Amino acid sequence: MLLLNNLGWPSEKLSYAKASLCQLYCYNKLMMIKQKIKLRCLLQRPWIGGVLYLLFGLLWITTSDQLLSWLVTDTALLTRYQSYKGYFYVGLTAWLAWYLLKQKQYFAHSLDKSERIFVETFSHAAVGIAHLSLDGRFLRVNKMLCQMLGYSEAELTQLSFAQITFPADLADNLPMIQKLKSGEINHYEIEKRYVRKDQSILWARLSVAMIKSSVTSYFVAVIHDISAQKQVLQQLEQSELRFRTLLDNTPQIAVQGYHADGSTFYWNKASELTYGYSKEEALGSNLLDLIIPSYMQQHVADAMLEMATSGIAVPSEELVLRRKDGSLVPVFSGHAVVKLPGLEPQVFCIDVDLTESKKQAAALAFLSDFDAVTQLPNRQHFSQRVTEAIASTKQQGGQCAVLLMDLDNFKDINDSFGHSAGDQLLMQVSQRLQRCCTTQHVLARLGGDEFGVLVQFVQSVNDVTEFAELLMQQLQQPCHLANGNEVITALSVGIALYPSHANSAEDLIRAADAAMYKVKSEGRNHIALYSDELTAQAKQRVLLETRLRNALKQDKLQCYYQPQIDIASGKIMGAEVLLRWHDAELGHIPPSVFIPLAESCGLIHHVGSWVLQQSCRQLKTWLDQGIAPFSLAINVSAHQFNKDQLLGLLEQVLIDTAVPAHLIELEVTESALMINEERVIAIMQQIKAMGIRLAIDDFGTGYSSLSYLKRLPLDALKIDRRFIEHIPQAHDDKQITSAIIALAHNMNLKVLAEGVETAEQLAFLTQQGCDYYQGYYFSKPIPANEFVALLQR
């Protein structure tokens, strides 16, 4: 090295030369070590030792005597040296024997130690190890393999691997063994199943090599238990399969998967139905081009990138997206971001098609303000417009008027030609009345065959009367029905003016109603203006109120019970309590007469309290008699919610009668919410906390607001009989009924249909999934003794 340094060569050339010399030196040293190892191995062979000893002995014998004879001439001294030579030879051979025996002992000890280490390693290895003969029989097995397979060592060594291999896996195992035997491969690894002693299955990863020697050949198998991994993998596969199956087959939830750049990699069946693109068309395409309207694309692209970067999904929201045909679809859209280690973020969009929900919501919203048959404003909307007109008139001065009109003999037309013909007549009448109305008028259908017109600015009473005559003239010509019949109807018109006849919308409508009934009582088909001449009716009302008070004191009212039927089972699940009044002089007085009277004169609270106490006592009597428990639906007036006594009354009745609270269902009309919505909702929540059930009665005919419906602690909706009576003829009523049932079920509410009178109506309700019904088809309202007999029948 010093010499190379002194030669003055360039550093690159000098480094190369040094490296070459180092390599040469290392090579020479390696060759010397190899030669020493080779020589040592050669010397350790027995025949080499024997030959060397023989040569040494022959050389010693033949040359030692000659050497001594040449060196020593004295015979005595020669004899002595020959003895020394013999002693030396004996000592040398003794030392050699000692050395050889010591080496043998060392190698035997090393071999024994190696074998012991091998045995311990073989026996206590954490994996299964086995030696197998070439025909597949177990020669040696370790403890772990015995534990894995459930066999003892003695049992396994009596078996072959084929006997404990799962039959279906032998086809993969046997060809690999043949390749080992033929030398095509020197080892192989596979996953296979073993059948344990208890017949359970063990999944294993098998590594096999073949050991060949001049003495014997055998296989070495190393077996890893992967059952747990397989189980986890199987669970993951099953979970993914369930996930994909659910997503692919959920018809109402469209799921799309896409990357940060918008390229689509997942598109389920619902996405095909919602957006019109097949899976083949969608995959690989950009989501922006598929369903995102142009004005939203930049915003959506930014949101995609942000979600993929941050891993946080944007808030769910309602969107309007684009179908393949260019039409728009409203959806409720949510997102989920999946970020796996080492993989590109995946964003999933979950869309719920709101098309049908929007239609149902629109239909129900329409019901809250408009009549389904004539498309005119309903009573609720009309009352609101009258209130607004009174407020405007009060500020600006002048007058406004309300006209209430009733079709004469409409019931006869319904009974003669059917409800479908009645609906056709109502539509034609509404169209004719609209011809006379301008922007200053509000025409409404208030229910049944009753119409109302608000005249917002009135110059004189004569103007209003002339307008009423014009309305009547519109109905002088016959109406042509679809069945070919011609019908002629007429109007009874009552008129009331603000501020001459009333100071509020309710009173103004009531005054017009009183005038209209005056017309009906005097022969119909003419006009009446509200006046003091109607005091006779007021006197009659006072008389009726007095007799109602006496009936309450003398316990002359009676509770009737109309069965409520579970449509699925056909069994009675409850009953509605209906109040009946038979006066000794006036005869039967219908609830439609005395209930409004009780509400207007303040008796409704006494009536409601009496009904609640009487019906709960009767229910307790039935339960004590062993009658199976059923629910009792009790109507609660809107006015009762405006008093503080209702909650106390309910608590006291439950204590006095010991009737289980869950068997009581209070039916509340939607008009109750018009008094004080917040107060009524608070009271209903307290009632619900008692365990009492709540239902909205006559749903769809009053308030019908989705804003309150979602806030009420309801259990059921009752569909008003007016939507049922024209089924199956009236297509609109069928659609409305279906929408109400769907809405109720989506809100986890039960649905009961009132006024079911025909098998066709019941069949339609059954098809739509309605839960319960009541009506004359099963039973009219009956007294308590007849009802219990009906229960026991």
Side-chain angles (χ1 to χ4, degrees), residues 3 9 28 37 56 60 108-109 133 159 190 259 338 365 401 412 414 477 501 528 580 605 638 663 666 711 771 781:
L3 179 62
W9 288 353
N28 290 333
I37 293 173
F56 177 77
W60 179 268
H109 178 72
S133 63
L159 300 174
I190 60 169
H259 298 295
V338 178
D412 295 335
N414 250 351
Q477 296 298 322
H501 302 141
R580 295 292 183 263
H605 304 288
L663 296 182
L666 297 186
R711 299 173 58 197
D771 302 295

Side-chain angles (χ1 to χ4, degrees), residues 56-80:
F56 177 77
L58 292 175
L59 181 63
W60 179 268
I61 294 171
T62 56
T63 60
S64 60
D65 288 342
Q66 293 180 3
L67 180 62
L68 283 175
S69 299
W70 180 70
L71 293 174
V72 179
T73 57
D74 184 8
T75 303
L77 188 59
L78 179 61
T79 303
R80 187 188 307 165

Side-chain angles (χ1 to χ4, degrees), residues 206-277:
L206 173 67
S207 299
V208 181
M210 186 174 179
I211 305 299
K212 295 182 179 180
S213 69
S214 58
V215 179
T216 182
S217 296
Y218 59 93
F219 296 114
V220 177
V222 178
I223 301 159
H224 296 260
D225 184 355
I226 60 170
S227 298
Q229 297 94 308
K230 278 290 183 180
Q231 184 178 4
V232 171
L233 182 61
Q234 186 178 23
Q235 290 174 348
L236 288 174
E237 290 174 348
Q238 291 174 352
S239 177
E240 182 177 2
L241 179 61
R242 284 193 293 268
F243 168 76
R244 287 188 173 274
T245 303
L246 285 172
L247 289 186
D248 287 340
N249 295 282
T250 302
Q252 297 177 340
I253 302 179
V255 181
Q256 312 94 47
Y258 53 88
H259 298 295
D261 61 356
S263 57
T264 305
F265 64 84
Y266 181 77
W267 192 267
N268 73 342
K269 186 66 176 179
S271 297
E272 295 182 344
L273 299 174
T274 302
Y275 297 113
Y277 291 98

